[in-house]
Amino acid sequence: MERINPILMEFLLRSVIKKLPDIHREVYQYIESMEYQLEEVSVDEKQFLQLMIEKSPFKAAADHFSLHISTIKEIMDEAQMEIDKSIDERCKRIKWIDYTDKLKQSDKTTQRAFIFLS
């Protein structure tokens, strides 16, 4: 797969997450938010991993949603599979068209690159 612009990838991710079934979306966003918070307070990777064990986002989600931790894991696995599948399918449909040369021919004064996404 061709490397995708990180901004476009973030857009695709948010778009796919919005379309997940409610419980999948809520659990996914809850866990992602907790992981982000732990990442923000960590000074290094070792501390982050330690915090992930001590303040397990999966355990917290299980408590928050009143579900068994194995159910939370199952929901997250299903959500991640759906996210990966949808993003992969959408990336395969993306076609980058570089019009830089054509536009430079019509406007000799410009030095900009023009790329359109279709």
Side-chain angles (χ1 to χ4, degrees), residues 91-108:
C91 286
K92 286 178 183 176
R93 292 192 315 254
I94 290 175
K95 181 178 179 183
W96 290 94
I97 303 170
D98 186 350
Y99 277 97
T100 306
D101 292 337
K102 292 188 185 340
L103 291 172
K104 281 184 179 178
Q105 291 172 359
S106 66
D107 182 8
K108 300 287 186 199

Side-chain angles (χ1 to χ4, degrees), residues 11 20 23 40 51 62 69 81 87 90 97 105 109 112:
F11 168 78
L20 290 173
I23 188 67
E40 286 293 305
L51 287 172
I69 196 163
M81 283 180 11
I87 288 178
R90 290 180 75 178
I97 303 170
Q105 291 172 359
T109 62
R112 292 176 279 179

Side-chain angles (χ1 to χ4, degrees), residues 2 11 13 16 18 26 40-41 49 52 66 69 74-75 80 84 86 108 118:
E2 203 174 310
F11 168 78
L13 179 62
V16 172
K18 284 181 187 177
E26 291 169 14
E40 286 293 305
V41 298
L49 294 174
M52 288 288 287
S66 301
I69 196 163
E74 200 174 294
I75 289 170
Q80 192 62 60
D84 293 345
S86 295
K108 300 287 186 199
S118 97

Side-chain angles (χ1 to χ4, degrees), residues 53-66:
I53 294 168
E54 292 171 3
K55 301 178 179 189
S56 170
F58 282 78
K59 173 75 171 101
D63 293 342
H64 179 80
F65 293 100
S66 301

Side-chain angles (χ1 to χ4, degrees), residues 26-55:
E26 291 169 14
V27 169
Y28 184 87
Q29 289 176 325
Y30 184 88
I31 290 175
E32 286 289 307
S33 173
M34 287 201 63
E35 288 176 353
Y36 179 76
Q37 290 172 12
L38 295 177
E39 183 181 343
E40 286 293 305
V41 298
S42 301
V43 293
D44 59 20
E45 184 179 341
K46 184 177 179 180
Q47 184 184 23
F48 174 70
L49 294 174
Q50 185 62 37
L51 287 172
M52 288 288 287
I53 294 168
E54 292 171 3
K55 301 178 179 189

